[in-house]
Amino acid sequence: IAAKILHKLRRRGKWNNAHTNIDRLQSGFASHELGLVKKIALLLVKEGMLFTKPTSYGKEVSLNSRKKSDIDKFLKENYN
């Protein structure tokens, strides 16, 4: 799930100031995975791979460009 989240944000070009709502990350996942998506996204924030931006309508997330090489390596190893 973590690899799919990172791939989705990378594919959409969501680096640094280009954010997307954390709830939008759940689209495209199976219904039994929806609860895990937000939890894993928050773990990726703790690991420094994602940034969060609080807004009046919820949390937004984006990829941390300083971790680009780590993100690419993670995707290469974990995403088909």
Side-chain angles (χ1 to χ4, degrees):
I1 293 176
K4 190 171 180 180
I5 291 170
L6 293 173
H7 175 52
K8 183 182 228 183
L9 291 171
R10 190 176 194 287
R11 188 180 71 234
R12 293 180 178 175
K14 300 298 183 179
W15 295 96
N16 295 328
N17 292 328
H19 298 89
T20 192
N21 192 291
I22 197 165
D23 294 325
R24 290 282 303 145
L25 291 177
Q26 296 177 348
S27 66
F29 284 89
S31 60
H32 67 276
E33 297 175 326
L34 296 181
L36 290 173
V37 173
K38 200 172 198 177
K39 290 177 186 177
I40 292 173
L42 293 175
L43 287 174
L44 290 170
V45 170
K46 287 181 183 177
E47 291 180 16
M49 291 189 174
L50 297 181
F51 288 129
T52 59
K53 177 185 176 185
T55 64
S56 61
Y57 46 88
K59 279 188 183 176
E60 299 259 313
V61 292
S62 62
L63 296 166
N64 181 352
S65 63
R66 292 184 183 158
K67 296 278 188 169
K68 186 179 186 309
S69 61
D70 294 337
I71 291 168
D72 290 342
K73 182 180 176 187
F74 184 82
L75 288 173
K76 187 176 182 181
E77 293 171 357
N78 298 290
Y79 191 78
N80 307 359

